[in-house]
Amino acid sequence: VHDAAVAGLKELKLKLSEDRADKLSAHMESEFADRAHVWIDLESIGDSRTRVTIRVGLIGDEVRARKILDAIKQHLPRAN
């Protein structure tokens, strides 16, 4: 999921300003051109399951957050 998030952000031309990851979690930060900050947290919650939390701006921007989530989903491996 981390690799998919990195690829999704790259596709949206969002550069990572912070990227910390281990085997169970990750924290990523970026910024839109209008300086709206982006926080993405990934947390393993079981076999083949990861909780993805995305926040854009201080009060949240659901449209942009969903756009980021959709870009991440496009880069996830397909289930068999």
Side-chain angles (χ1 to χ4, degrees):
V1 177
H2 178 263
D3 291 343
V6 171
L9 289 173
K10 186 175 182 177
E11 179 181 298
L12 295 172
K13 298 186 178 12
L14 294 171
K15 293 184 180 179
L16 285 169
S17 59
E18 188 170 332
D19 185 7
R20 295 183 316 226
D22 57 36
K23 292 197 179 276
L24 298 176
S25 64
H27 175 78
M28 306 162 78
E29 294 185 25
S30 186
E31 195 171 75
F32 279 96
D34 66 355
R35 315 262 307 146
H37 203 82
V38 176
W39 295 268
I40 301 173
D41 289 297
L42 309 174
E43 179 185 3
S44 175
I45 57 173
D47 287 347
S48 302
R49 295 186 59 189
T50 302
R51 175 178 295 133
V52 178
T53 306
I54 302 169
R55 183 176 179 139
V56 178
L58 292 176
I59 59 171
D61 182 331
E62 186 175 349
V63 172
R64 284 181 170 176
R66 286 194 182 275
K67 188 172 188 171
I68 293 169
L69 180 60
D70 290 342
I72 293 170
K73 286 180 181 179
Q74 292 296 317
H75 293 279
L76 289 172
R78 301 287 174 222
N80 292 332

